[in-house]
Amino acid sequence: MTAIERSRTVAVIGAGTMGQGIAQVALLAGHRVLIHDIDAALSADGVSMVQDRVERMAAKGRLDRAEAEDAIGRIDSAGTLADLAGAALVIEAIVENVAVKNALFKALEEVVSPDALLATNTSSLSVTELAAGLAHPGRFLGLHFFNPAPLLPLVEVVSGFATDPAAAERAYRTVLGWGKTPVRCADTPGFIVNRIARPFYAEAFAVYEEQGADPATIDAVLRESGGFKMGPFQLTDLIGQDVNEAVTRSVWESFFRSPKFTPSLAQRRLVQSGRLGRKSGHGWYPYGPDAQVPGPHTAGPEDAPEKVTVVGDLGPAAELAELMEEAGIAVKSTEHGGPYIQLPGDGQLVLADGKTSVEFTDVVYFDLALDYRGATRIALSAGTDTSERTLAEAIGLFQKLGKRVSVIGDVPGMIVARTVAMLIDLTADAVARGVASAEDIDTAMRLGVNYPLGPSEWHDRLGRDWAYDLLHHLDERCPGGRYAPSLALFKLGYEADGDEDDTVDDTGETE
């Protein structure tokens, strides 16, 4: 199946920001483009806005002058749906309302040719439901661009229950030819990005609700330790608390109120109070010229221990042994027991594993980092029985490694670790259910929301049992199903053991 020929017309319905962006992408790919809006004045304005952007690109040297002039001459407004009769692809980018969209596509079916593709840019509605009632639902699919469409490379190509595979493949190849990075996805609530990304927000809000840390500290830890470009409190203020909460609530409702997607009460209160983020002047943070934006909690200076013992294999944190030696801390290693770092005062420094410090006599937990060498901040948590000396030694150790230290409450899984584990689990479950491939999910999360690694890449780096074990411990301490590891994640551990010759005898016992 080949892409739609450049000589064919692409139509965009909806002259708003997203519609204009999609029109610009198709235009610069070489198509003739028509923009239609129920308001003819908006259609004309949309065309003018796209032409102005193309002109500015040429003026800045980002586009050849002849190409720009040619493109400017290939875009026009369409006064009626009948004017779209020759379009090979019609992409809708109008209000998120099922009834309105259904009526539009039924009307389009009476106009366009039998081989034309019909696509919706919806980010939250069911592609399957939008195709309901169409005479030819096989040619209907989702093309979910990300805003701003001309700049962001990702496009989710969503197949509804009735979408013809050939239509989806034609759309995929067309978008690929436009210079975008398409990913294939089945019709599921939130598609890929809005489904998989929920824990990035939900776990941060949960830590806040559990009095584990304040928004500024949680954001800083996820940025400076986890490698994420923005923290969830900062990001939702930018998106708009009402918009972000609406997506979360939509996914939760669509999954029959699964505890995996439970919305945040704290965010609900924020929306109810009108604190919607940057657009309202206040969200999790205040905005404006006189706003006093709080900074993250950072521990004061402490003396580093002169020597430590690394007990067992630190797994994802194994790099710390080398870093401590480089910093002048004497490191002794023993293979038996652990895994933990034995401090001089007999306390233990343990990588977050879903348990809590209060369960042990003298333990400080430290959070997961994308890269312990490159991380600039590390979170620590201590229980009521943790000695002041042990906590001070733990703080001093990481400060000696050049890290800022944030001490948070004794919450299981801490911040980065529980977030990453949940992302891995939702990805494993989505792959097992045929939503998308692991590779496409990784691509979507890196390009769609700028994650430092895709969830499956995290899983490969951290080890086959890491996420499962952490979530199992979290589920024991926070029962209710939110943290119960999926069957798919459980199976991944066994698939990784494929080289081991385990057999089952006639009694069902493993030999």
Side-chain angles (χ1 to χ4, degrees):
M1 179 60 65
T2 59
I4 293 172
E5 298 82 359
R6 301 296 173 92
S7 59
R8 302 289 302 276
T9 297
V10 172
V12 178
I13 299 180
T17 300
M18 182 57 77
Q20 292 173 28
I22 296 171
Q24 180 179 327
V25 171
L27 182 67
L28 294 182
H31 294 276
R32 176 174 180 253
V33 174
L34 295 174
I35 295 180
H36 171 74
D37 196 284
I38 193 170
D39 184 331
L42 291 179
S43 298
D45 288 345
V47 170
S48 296
M49 292 291 286
V50 174
Q51 289 174 328
D52 287 347
R53 284 199 288 268
V54 171
E55 175 62 37
R56 288 198 298 271
M57 290 174 68
K60 294 178 180 179
R62 294 164 52 197
L63 186 65
D64 180 79
R65 170 58 64 181
E67 291 180 17
E69 291 178 357
D70 179 62
I72 289 171
R74 282 188 281 104
I75 186 169
D76 202 353
S77 61
T80 67
L81 290 182
D83 295 332
L84 309 182
L89 169 63
V90 182
I91 305 174
E92 163 273 316
I94 62 173
V95 62
E96 289 286 83
N97 181 287
V98 172
V100 174
K101 291 179 189 287
N102 276 340
L104 169 65
F105 285 113
K106 287 179 182 178
L108 279 170
E109 273 200 315
E110 302 297 323
V111 172
V112 299
S113 63
D115 68 338
L117 297 182
L118 301 181
T120 175
N121 183 60
T122 185
S123 61
S124 60
L125 301 178
S126 167
V127 171
T128 300
E129 184 178 7
L130 292 179
L134 294 183
H136 304 287
R139 63 174 171 177
F140 185 84
L141 71 153
L143 287 178
H144 180 215
F145 289 76
F146 287 73
N147 195 26
L151 298 180
L152 295 185
L154 184 70
V155 179
E156 294 175 322
V157 181
V158 186
S159 292
F161 186 79
T163 301
D164 188 328
E169 185 64 19
R170 186 165 172 80
Y172 179 94
R173 292 186 179 276
T174 298
V175 171
L176 184 65
W178 291 356
K180 294 300 182 181
T181 304
V183 290
R184 297 178 175 88
C185 176
D187 183 24
T188 186
F191 307 143
I192 295 176
V193 172
N194 281 332
R195 171 177 176 159
I196 303 300
R198 296 346 293 165
F200 180 69
Y201 311 107
E203 295 313 308
F205 299 161
V207 171
Y208 169 74
E209 290 174 342
E210 294 163 18
Q211 302 292 295
D214 59 274
T217 299
I218 296 170
D219 276 355
V221 170
L222 281 162
R223 288 194 310 266
E224 300 174 41
S225 183
F228 294 92
K229 298 301 182 183
M230 295 180 73
F233 295 91
Q234 177 187 15
L235 181 55
T236 53
D237 267 358
L238 179 63
I239 295 169
Q241 298 303 329
D242 52 339
V243 174
N244 180 261
E245 198 227 14
V247 173
T248 297
R249 190 166 292 275
S250 174
V251 172
W252 177 58
E253 294 282 3
S254 297
F255 277 108
F256 308 103
R257 301 196 172 189
S258 165
K260 294 279 186 182
F261 301 100
T262 302
S264 162
L265 179 58
Q267 188 181 38
R268 176 93 287 258
R269 293 291 181 256
L270 206 65
V271 172
Q272 290 173 333
S273 70
R275 294 189 170 190
L276 306 181
R278 288 181 177 273
K279 62 186 177 184
S280 69
H282 206 303
W284 296 109
Y285 301 109
Y287 298 93
D290 300 321
Q292 299 293 318
V293 180
H297 166 76
T298 302
E302 298 286 356
D303 293 331
E306 295 182 358
K307 59 182 180 179
V308 298
T309 300
V310 173
V311 181
D313 182 0
L314 294 180
E319 186 179 24
L320 287 176
E322 181 180 344
L323 296 179
M324 289 186 290
E325 289 179 334
E326 292 174 2
I329 300 173
V331 178
K332 177 183 176 182
S333 298
T334 176
E335 296 180 357
H336 304 292
Y340 57 82
I341 298 171
Q342 184 74 52
L343 298 169
D346 290 333
Q348 297 174 354
L349 190 54
V350 183
L351 175 62
D353 59 5
K355 300 178 183 178
T356 57
S357 296
V358 74
E359 300 170 46
F360 308 98
T361 302
D362 200 11
V363 163
V364 171
Y365 274 107
F366 65 96
D367 208 350
L368 179 70
L370 171 68
D371 167 18
Y372 282 100
R373 182 177 294 277
T376 56
R377 182 180 299 272
I378 295 293
L380 304 178
S381 67
T384 54
D385 291 334
T386 303
S387 70
E388 292 183 5
R389 176 177 176 177
T390 294
L391 180 57
E393 288 176 344
I395 293 171
L397 185 151
F398 280 105
Q399 289 175 339
K400 184 72 172 179
L401 303 185
K403 319 299 181 188
R404 292 181 286 271
V405 176
S406 292
V407 179
I408 69 171
D410 189 16
V411 291
M414 303 191 70
I415 299 172
V416 180
R418 72 196 280 178
T419 299
V420 169
M422 287 291 284
L423 291 171
I424 290 172
D425 185 58
L426 288 191
T427 296
D429 183 64
V431 172
R433 294 178 185 275
V435 171
S437 68
E439 294 76 15
D440 274 356
I441 292 176
D442 281 352
T443 298
M445 302 315 290
R446 282 188 281 102
L447 298 183
V449 279
N450 214 9
Y451 284 5
L453 290 176
S456 291
E457 293 170 325
W458 273 107
H459 181 264
D460 291 343
R461 175 183 290 198
L462 296 170
R464 63 182 180 85
D465 291 329
W466 181 85
Y468 179 87
D469 289 344
L470 187 142
L471 291 175
H472 176 68
H473 294 150
L474 257 170
D475 184 48
E476 290 180 331
R477 286 149 186 81
C478 306
R482 179 185 181 119
Y483 300 109
S486 66
L487 176 61
L489 187 59
F490 176 77
K491 287 181 175 180
L492 276 181
Y494 282 93
E495 289 174 5
D497 276 343
D499 57 341
E500 295 184 11
D501 188 23
D502 284 347
T503 61
V504 179
D505 64 20
D506 292 339
T507 67
E509 297 295 329
T510 301
E511 296 179 332

